[in-house]
Amino acid sequence: MVEGRRDGRDVRDEARGPAGPDELARAWAGLVATARRTVADGLVVGTSGNVSVRVGDTVLVTPSGVPYDRLTPEGVVGVDLTGRQILGTLTPTSELPMHLAVYRATDARAVVHTHAVHATAVSTLVRELPLIHYMAGDLGGPVRVAPYATYGTQELAENMLAALVDRAACLLQNHGTIVHGATLDQAYDRTAQLEWMCRVWLTASSVPGLSPTLLSEDQVGEAAERLKGYGQRG
């Protein structure tokens, strides 16, 4: 899932040209709603996480250190794929290098980064989340843990990209999670699912004298194929 155009451009963007103001406004409203949801659902504390969405060659991102309930339509923050700010006056999130690395390396349209409690705890214990549930298939397989690096650095972005190869999510050691998707809703839902799986594994692993039954990669792969047709069609 990390395979994509390495120049950071998408043929669909080239065909339709730059995003218009209405499209950007709708995308910003969706980003703000998603960011607020991460707080409401307990996936972040204060402003510790960040969210982005790509519209054409513009990446809208949450600003650094601003509570999400204070974000307004006029507070839009946008950068190009090099990180040059092209919209707004607020400083973009300090984790901008991670977000841009995902967009340059994949066809993702949205990225959600959190400091979710159970996922962060798991990141300190293992090198990848054990296959406790078949929904790992929706993330591409076993969720890896990217080695620790200081937040906001290129080193962290590089560690993250290595852990994201063929995956839609990874854990960041002693830090949190980063997940991407085709939409903000998909990226958020995958984030919530990852946190839930981490909680299940921690809960099952805490029973004295017992070890949780795990799935094989083949079993998760079979589930992943079935998940492609899940839900309503048309």
Side-chain angles (χ1 to χ4, degrees), residues 118-143:
H118 299 92
T120 303
V122 169
S123 79
T124 70
L125 298 171
V126 294
R127 292 187 177 181
E128 70 176 27
L129 174 63
L131 290 174
I132 194 71
H133 196 273
Y134 66 80
M135 282 303 291
D138 185 49
L139 304 178
V143 178

Side-chain angles (χ1 to χ4, degrees), residues 3-234:
E3 296 307 315
R5 292 194 54 166
R6 296 289 172 173
D7 61 2
R9 297 186 62 82
D10 188 295
V11 291
R12 292 170 294 181
D13 302 329
E14 293 168 354
R16 67 185 179 91
D22 290 345
E23 187 177 11
L24 289 169
R26 288 192 298 270
W28 178 251
L31 179 149
V32 171
T34 300
R36 290 174 178 172
R37 192 176 175 191
T38 64
V39 177
D41 291 350
L43 297 176
V44 304
V45 176
T47 61
S48 60
N50 29 80
V51 178
S52 68
V53 61
R54 180 177 174 181
V55 186
D57 279 346
T58 299
V59 177
L60 304 181
V61 295
T62 48
S64 178
V66 178
Y68 299 141
D69 60 359
R70 297 183 190 173
L71 294 178
T72 66
E74 295 73 31
V76 62
V77 178
V79 301
D80 64 19
L81 289 166
T82 71
R84 179 176 63 91
Q85 188 159 353
I86 55 178
L87 291 172
T89 58
L90 295 174
T91 302
T93 172
S94 59
E95 297 291 13
L96 185 61
M98 279 204 300
H99 289 261
L100 293 180
V102 172
Y103 293 121
R104 291 175 188 142
T106 76
D107 60 358
R109 316 307 289 182
V111 175
V112 175
H113 166 51
T114 77
H115 292 181
V117 172
H118 299 92
T120 303
V122 169
S123 79
T124 70
L125 298 171
V126 294
R127 292 187 177 181
E128 70 176 27
L129 174 63
L131 290 174
I132 194 71
H133 196 273
Y134 66 80
M135 282 303 291
D138 185 49
L139 304 178
V143 178
R144 307 181 187 102
V145 178
Y148 180 80
T150 303
Y151 80 92
T153 62
Q154 192 59 40
E155 180 185 6
L156 177 59
E158 291 171 359
N159 291 351
M160 173 209 67
L161 277 186
L164 278 179
V165 171
D166 297 325
R167 300 290 188 269
C170 74
L171 302 178
L172 306 170
Q173 189 178 55
N174 295 83
H175 186 154
T177 70
I178 192 155
V179 181
H180 66 77
T183 65
L184 280 165
D185 283 344
Q186 185 182 57
Y188 182 85
D189 289 345
R190 284 172 166 173
T191 299
Q193 193 69 243
L194 175 57
E195 169 67 357
W196 178 83
M197 285 191 292
C198 288
R199 185 176 182 180
V200 169
W201 181 72
L202 287 171
T203 301
S205 299
S206 69
V207 179
L210 296 176
S211 297
T213 300
L214 300 176
L215 301 176
S216 69
E217 291 199 32
D218 286 343
Q219 288 172 319
V220 170
E222 181 180 353
E225 287 301 311
R226 292 180 64 85
L227 285 169
K228 291 178 181 179
Y230 179 78
Q232 302 299 312
R233 300 182 181 182

